[in-house]
Amino acid sequence: MWTSLTSNSNFVGESLLKFADSTGIAGFFAAMGWGNIVMIGVAFLLLYLAIRHKFEPLLLLTIAFGMLLTNLPGANLYHTELFAGGHVHWDIFVAKAGLLDYLYLGVKLGIYPCLIFLGVGAMTDFGPLIANPKSFLLGAAAQIGIFVTFLGAYAIGFTPEQAASIGIIGGADGPTAIYLTSILSPELLGPIAVAAYSYMALVPVIQPPIMRALTTRKERAIRMRTLRPVSKLERILFPLIITVVIALLLPSATPLVGCLMLGNLMKECGVVDRLSKTVQNELMNIVVIFLGLTVGATATAEAFLNFRTLGILVLGVIAFGLGTAGGVLLAKFMNLFSKEENKINPLIGSAGVSAVPMAARVSQIEGQRENPGNYLLMHAMGPNVAGVVGSAVAAGILLSFLG
Amino acid sequence: MDWSWSEMLWVALISICLVFVVLVLLVWIMKFFGNIFVHRQAAAHADKPATQGQLHEEEIAAITTALKLYKSDLHDRESEVLTILSIKRAYSPWSSKIHGLTQMPFRK
């Protein structure tokens, strides 16, 4: 028996070696293995920020976990080669695909961002925007950051498609950024989604210094007139009008705007409460899980650990800052032509970047810092929701030029 | 896509102009509809006879808040006297503890 055991020692050694090679630990010593370790560190950092500091936890937690899964060597949950060249390789898909590859199809085919918009629409009150349609202008001004960053990204060597995807970070709208990037430059999806959601979480840090620098104390203390009440019929007509106008002018923005407005119509019409609650809660939560996981999965070491990612992070914050400044400056400009009783507090201009409702809350807090009796929240919600429409319009325009 | 700088500049300029054009159009449309509704509401209010003592929504909100604050300051009045009642019952074999327990078998 001893002889038979010792004669097979070669076989045992080979088997153990083979097993060791098949483990994920061996993957860390392979090419780009160090990158996986770094990415796992990044995933843990994002998890820490989401759990400890509550930075957009709903999305950042799932994105970070997706990032962790995709960077564990040997897990084979996500394969970049199945989506190489910007399209799905159906011929090898079933044979090679892992769980996250299947889920990623929802991003690739532009389904998740639209479903998220359905839920966002059902949760959004467009009343302040209907009562004060001038807010649309502030929402438009805050999109300036997108186009300036578009040029900036091109200047440092990104292609026009990549530059557009980076610029859209300035719209501060996660689903729109993911939608546009998944079509124009899917290779940048991971870094762009992480940048977009991180900066949205950092709105209370990024925006106030810019708002204070561009306004005087007197301007920050402006009290705005109470908004008029909005009737139910107006609330029902609003999503229908917006859908028809945007779809006719910008067909490429219809999937996003159409879903946003369908969700809002469900909420406002009052006859489909069950559907409205489902899209606000169950559907939204399910899609958030899928979207976060799969977007995180695209952040592989090869895609993330390069100077392009650093460039995206820097350009993203510039886009965000410029958008904030654009909204504030347009509000100041509008005040030059407004009567005293119709003056706009420029602080609400910064809410024109979407980031609903965080940006509106920042306007409220900054306004109260100057004048504790000043309630700007409802006024800021107008530009805030106009920013959602504005960034979807901007994405549609970029798609029509570059798509 | 290979674009020159002048093409990029034009695309950026046209795009931002288009964003403004689309949203200005929406401002006009919403203002147009808004005016119709405001006029309708004003006409409806004018038709209604003014009711004496009718409260505005903000006044109702202020009164409700004041009542809520007042009531949350109130506490239930209690006697503040703590007592321990001694309950005595007459002996009965029906409620006797020793009769309710299983007796251990007696072994010699």
Side-chain angles (χ1 to χ4, degrees), chain A residues 61-85:
Chain A
L61 186 125
T62 46
I63 287 177
F65 206 84
M67 201 181 272
L68 175 68
L69 289 176
T70 204
N71 284 291
L72 289 171
N76 283 328
L77 290 171
Y78 176 75
H79 301 84
T80 41
E81 62 270 26
L82 294 178
F83 306 98

Side-chain angles (χ1 to χ4, degrees), chain A residues 115-152:
Chain A
L115 289 180
I116 295 251
F117 256 43
L118 196 62
V120 171
M123 286 195 273
T124 305
D125 177 11
F126 283 100
L129 182 59
I130 302 170
N132 184 15
K134 275 193 289 185
S135 304
F136 268 122
L137 295 177
L138 300 175
Q143 310 311 317
I144 284 173
I146 296 176
F147 299 101
V148 176
T149 312
F150 169 64
L151 293 175

Side-chain angles (χ1 to χ4, degrees), chain A residues 278-289:
Chain A
T278 303
V279 294
Q280 283 180 45
N281 300 295
E282 292 84 355
L283 182 68
M284 183 84 160
N285 292 341
I286 291 167
V287 178
V288 161
I289 295 169

Side-chain angles (χ1 to χ4, degrees), chain A residues 176-233:
Chain A
T176 307
I178 290 169
Y179 183 77
L180 188 76
T181 309
S182 66
I183 295 171
L184 292 184
S185 46
E187 70 281 4
L188 298 184
L189 192 56
I192 285 178
V194 169
Y197 283 111
S198 306
Y199 292 143
M200 266 187 270
L202 290 172
V203 162
V205 180
I206 298 171
Q207 284 195 324
I210 300 168
M211 292 157 79
R212 276 178 237 147
L214 295 176
T215 51
T216 61
R217 299 192 77 159
K218 195 180 162 196
E219 284 170 332
R220 291 198 292 272
I222 291 176
R223 272 187 186 233
M224 292 178 67
R225 237 175 33 172
T226 316
L227 294 170
R228 72 173 174 86
V230 177
S231 69
K232 188 178 176 182
L233 185 58

Side-chain angles (χ1 to χ4, degrees), chain A residues 248-311:
Chain A
L248 289 178
L249 291 175
L250 269 172
S252 48
T254 313
L256 286 174
V257 176
C259 285
L260 181 75
M261 292 301 147
L262 171 62
N264 189 248
L265 182 63
M266 283 176 181
K267 173 182 173 251
E268 299 296 356
C269 71
V271 293
V272 286
D273 272 352
R274 275 169 52 191
L275 300 188
S276 173
K277 279 177 189 156
T278 303
V279 294
Q280 283 180 45
N281 300 295
E282 292 84 355
L283 182 68
M284 183 84 160
N285 292 341
I286 291 167
V287 178
V288 161
I289 295 169
F290 290 169
L291 184 78
L293 265 181
T294 48
V295 165
T298 60
T300 55
E302 295 85 5
F304 208 90
L305 294 179
N306 48 50
F307 282 107
R308 280 193 325 188
T309 304
L310 199 64

